[in-house]
Amino acid sequence: MTAYWVTIALVGYLMWMAKLSEPAMNERQMGTLPTKPLARILVLSAALVLMIVAALRWKVGTDYGQYVINYDSYKLSFFSDLRTFNEPGIRGIAWLVSQVADNSTVFMAAVSLFTLRLMLFTILATALPSR
């Protein structure tokens, strides 16, 4: 639990520093990145901290063990299950990871990085004003 408190504190600190480096961040449209380079680096660093913590977690969550157990079947059945559209996302990631480093831990890190990146992008994109 300490790791999560440290993560929250670090992300909060990075975002506070970003706000200090670009005070007009509150007046900007919600969902847009800061314009000043230092503020942008700090915001992206906060996102990177979240992604690293997600990638380095070990045995966190109720389904973590099941994904590790199923890793071998995911990577082996990707092409056959692609025809039936049976969870092609998780199986495709497993197959790609198996081509680089055939390890379930690397697989879980890759899935964490990919899904958190998608979530952060979705939060940013949905907060943008429609044009």
Side-chain angles (χ1 to χ4, degrees):
M1 190 66 183
T2 304
Y4 294 117
W5 288 115
V6 170
T7 302
I8 291 169
L10 182 58
V11 169
Y13 177 73
L14 289 168
M15 294 304 292
W16 177 68
M17 292 298 292
K19 172 74 171 98
L20 287 179
S21 67
E22 187 173 330
M25 255 177 37
N26 285 352
E27 287 110 36
R28 297 183 55 75
Q29 289 286 339
M30 185 188 298
T32 59
L33 288 173
T35 55
K36 293 190 177 177
L38 180 59
R40 188 172 282 220
I41 288 170
L42 289 166
V43 168
L44 295 176
S45 296
L48 187 62
V49 166
L50 291 172
M51 291 168 62
I52 288 171
V53 169
L56 294 179
R57 69 189 173 98
W58 180 251
K59 296 184 181 179
V60 175
T62 56
D63 55 353
Y64 184 92
Q66 197 61 43
Y67 283 124
V68 170
I69 291 169
N70 289 338
Y71 168 68
D72 288 324
S73 67
Y74 286 162
K75 68 179 180 183
L76 295 174
S77 64
F78 169 59
F79 290 108
S80 62
D81 286 339
L82 187 59
R83 281 183 257 132
T84 60
F85 210 65
N86 183 16
E87 296 188 29
I90 193 81
R91 294 170 195 275
I93 294 170
W95 180 81
L96 281 172
V97 167
S98 72
Q99 301 303 306
V100 177
D102 195 7
N103 187 323
S104 62
T105 305
V106 176
F107 164 68
M108 289 304 294
V111 168
S112 296
L113 290 174
F114 183 72
T115 55
L116 188 58
R117 185 196 149 284
L118 285 176
M119 284 187 274
L120 292 174
F121 179 77
T122 301
I123 290 168
L124 181 65
T126 56
L128 287 172
S130 57
R131 295 175 189 191

